[in-house]
Amino acid sequence: MSAPVNWLQQMQSALQTIPAGVRPRLLLHACCGPCSSAVLEQLRRTFDITVYYYNPNTWPEAEYRRRGQELARLLQQLPGEGTVDLAEDPYRPEEFYQAAAGLEAEPERGSRCTACYRLRLSRAAAYAAAHGFDWFCSTLSISPHKDAARLNAIGLELEKEYGVRWLPSDFKKKEGYKRSLELSREYGLYRQAYCGCEFSAKARGIDPENAALPPEEK
């Protein structure tokens, strides 16, 4: 059996291909402010970034809006090099339900999550290609609950399909996840107690009206 891919090492190798003094444009798909914080802190050293908020899986709409508002607030406050802009697609939850059709009973981290990854990354790749970005990536790999191997496999497939370079990542490594907790405390970010979708929340018995976690508890 082949050894698992070291996605952090893959990212470092990819970054080394960027010529000195050049700041490429990166489209960074983001699920929320807390997951974006440490990723942005790291990638702003190299890229001019547009954060792309496309998450039709997030339920209910009030939760989607709350996460988006916290992300926008973070971008206004987080210091760093280069520029960081924000782009948002309209909230269309039916796109997620179509992608998840037949997979509603799947456990979290199962094939429903794979379909969700593909939906969001496909839209990010298409947006990156349409708007002339050099690279695209996602904050999702910073979560210990997300499968970096699946995310990167999908990203590399989309790189070939859309002609925009995928930045490999496993942002949770080298205490990346820990750093996101520190920044969440520093900026007082709302941190949610479930991934986002209706199926995930209901499987955990979570009421979205009372779904925040203090930074130290997640």
Side-chain angles (χ1 to χ4, degrees), residues 11 17 29 33 54 93 105 148 161 190-191 194:
M11 182 178 75
T17 68
H29 167 264
Y54 172 69
E161 182 176 351
Y190 162 68
R191 299 184 64 258
Y194 65 110

Side-chain angles (χ1 to χ4, degrees), residues 4 29 62 65 120 130 144 146 159 163 166 169 203:
H29 167 264
R65 300 295 175 197
R120 291 188 280 172
K146 300 294 187 293
E159 175 184 281
W166 167 255
S169 70

Side-chain angles (χ1 to χ4, degrees), residues 27-152:
L27 186 76
L28 178 66
H29 167 264
C31 55
C32 62
C35 287
S36 302
S37 59
V39 175
L40 284 168
E41 185 178 65
Q42 179 178 355
L43 294 183
R44 287 181 75 168
R45 304 166 192 163
T46 304
F47 297 99
D48 287 330
I49 300 172
T50 294
V51 174
Y52 183 57
Y53 189 62
Y54 172 69
N55 300 289
N57 58 303
T58 305
W59 172 88
E61 183 173 356
E63 177 72 15
Y64 169 86
R65 300 295 175 197
R66 186 176 187 183
R67 295 186 191 193
Q69 289 165 3
E70 284 292 90
L71 175 61
R73 181 171 70 85
L74 173 70
L75 298 189
Q76 292 176 348
Q77 297 179 4
L78 190 67
E81 303 174 41
T83 61
V84 178
D85 297 317
L86 177 63
E88 180 180 355
D89 261 9
Y91 179 60
R92 297 190 181 99
E94 66 275 9
E95 295 177 350
F96 167 71
Y97 288 111
Q98 290 168 4
L103 303 172
E104 294 87 350
E106 283 284 308
E108 195 165 355
R109 306 191 197 187
S111 55
R112 186 183 64 240
C113 291
T114 303
C116 184
Y117 298 163
R118 186 173 297 278
L119 172 66
R120 291 188 280 172
L121 294 182
S122 294
R123 186 63 61 87
Y127 188 98
H131 293 83
F133 284 86
D134 304 297
W135 299 74
F136 76 108
C137 190
S138 176
T139 63
L140 290 171
S141 72
I142 200 166
S143 169
H145 303 294
K146 300 294 187 293
D147 185 342
R150 270 188 283 174
L151 289 164
N152 283 291

